[in-house]
């Protein structure tokens, strides 16, 4: 009898420990903020001579889901489009370019993917966040100068993987996609071609 009782206590303790490590998330998740760019530097006088306007970034994801945990889909709360637009404005500014409202080439696009997948586990839970955006650059007369698709990814693991940590991973994934567009996408070279007043 004592052996059975000890076995039950061990099993119950293990279940409670696993439950304590399982991530807890609400019915929806607040749109994550994006960190300051880590891979963008001021382009100096050449970048300072460039002007860019930030247009709309539409949410073209196939669903509103921003996180999936154990098959449960969690929708985003807030405007993903505004977060991406603000980040583009900030990242171009940090690259040394003038972000203006009129008479400049315009950057716009679509959010194709922005999602985290969480895998609860013991002793740690894991998460992978991915982002994909389509970016277009048109001159001030709406002629296409550039179009490209950029992706970003971030992974993390933690014994107590909560909603805040997943939001940070989502922010890093989207930041990576935007940094690639600003830094590697050839947009800066095409901006000088698109300065049609």
């Amino acid at each position: 009898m004592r052996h059975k009782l000890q076995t039950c206590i061990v099993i119950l303790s293990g279940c409670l420990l696993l439950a304590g490590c399982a991530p807890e998330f609400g019915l929806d998740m607040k749109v994550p903020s994006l960190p300051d760019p880590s891979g963008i530097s001021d382009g100096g006088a050449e970048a300072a001579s460039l002007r860019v306007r930030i247009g709309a970034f539409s949410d073209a994801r196939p669903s509103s889901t921003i996180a999936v945990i154990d098959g449960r889909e969690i929708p985003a709360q807030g405007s993903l489009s505004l977060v991406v637009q603000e980040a583009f404005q900030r990242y171009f500014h940090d690259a040394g370019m003038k972000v203006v409202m009129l008479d400049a080439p315009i950057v716009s696009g679509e959010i194709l993917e922005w999602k985290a997948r969480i895998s609860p586990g013991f002793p740690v839970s894991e998460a992978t966040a991915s982002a994909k955006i389509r970016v277009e650059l048109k001159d001030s007369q709406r002629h296409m100068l550039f179009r490209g698709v950029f992706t970003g990814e971030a992974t993390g693991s933690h014994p107590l993987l909560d909603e805040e940590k997943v939001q940070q991973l989502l922010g890093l994934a989207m930041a990576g996609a935007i940094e690639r567009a600003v830094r590697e996408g050839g947009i800066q070279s095409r901006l000088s071609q698109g300065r049609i007043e």
Side-chain angles (χ1 to χ4, degrees):
M1 181 69 175
R2 179 180 297 176
H3 179 69
K4 287 183 180 179
L5 182 60
Q6 288 175 335
T7 302
C8 288
I9 291 173
V10 169
I11 292 172
L12 180 60
S13 298
C15 290
L16 289 173
L17 183 60
L18 284 172
C21 294
E24 292 186 16
F25 294 87
L27 297 177
D28 54 23
M29 184 181 293
K30 185 179 176 183
V31 174
S33 57
L34 271 61
D36 290 333
S38 59
I40 294 177
S41 57
D42 192 319
E46 184 179 346
S49 69
L50 302 178
R51 293 152 50 90
V52 63
R53 186 158 53 115
I54 308 302
F57 277 80
S58 61
D59 187 352
R61 298 174 304 143
S63 77
S64 63
T65 301
I66 197 166
V68 179
I69 177 169
D70 269 352
R72 180 168 73 92
E73 297 186 350
I74 302 172
Q77 177 192 47
S79 173
L80 277 66
S81 301
L82 290 177
V83 170
V84 171
Q85 285 172 234
E86 187 278 332
F88 262 98
Q89 181 172 344
R90 187 159 41 102
Y91 287 20
F92 274 120
H93 180 269
D94 286 356
M97 294 177 239
K98 292 187 178 85
V99 180
V100 298
M101 299 296 291
L102 297 169
D103 298 327
I106 184 168
V107 172
S108 60
E110 297 175 313
I111 302 168
L112 303 177
E113 179 186 347
W114 198 4
K115 184 183 289 186
R117 298 187 181 279
I118 301 103
S119 302
F122 178 80
V124 296
S125 297
E126 298 180 350
T128 299
S130 56
K132 182 189 291 186
I133 50 175
R134 179 180 291 117
V135 180
E136 294 182 346
L137 175 68
K138 296 180 181 178
D139 66 22
S140 55
Q141 295 182 356
R142 301 289 179 169
H143 300 122
M144 185 68 69
L145 297 174
F146 174 82
R147 177 186 287 132
V149 173
F150 301 92
T151 61
E153 186 172 284
T155 59
S157 59
H158 199 275
L160 298 173
L161 189 63
D162 59 12
E163 189 169 317
E164 182 180 353
K165 292 180 178 65
V166 172
Q167 285 177 317
Q168 290 172 355
L169 291 175
L170 284 163
L172 288 171
M174 182 57 77
I178 295 174
E179 283 194 31
R180 285 187 179 91
V182 173
R183 187 183 69 236
E184 301 172 7
I187 290 180
Q188 291 192 41
S189 63
R190 288 165 175 84
L191 278 172
S192 60
Q193 303 168 15
R195 289 183 292 183
I196 301 173
E197 301 298 334

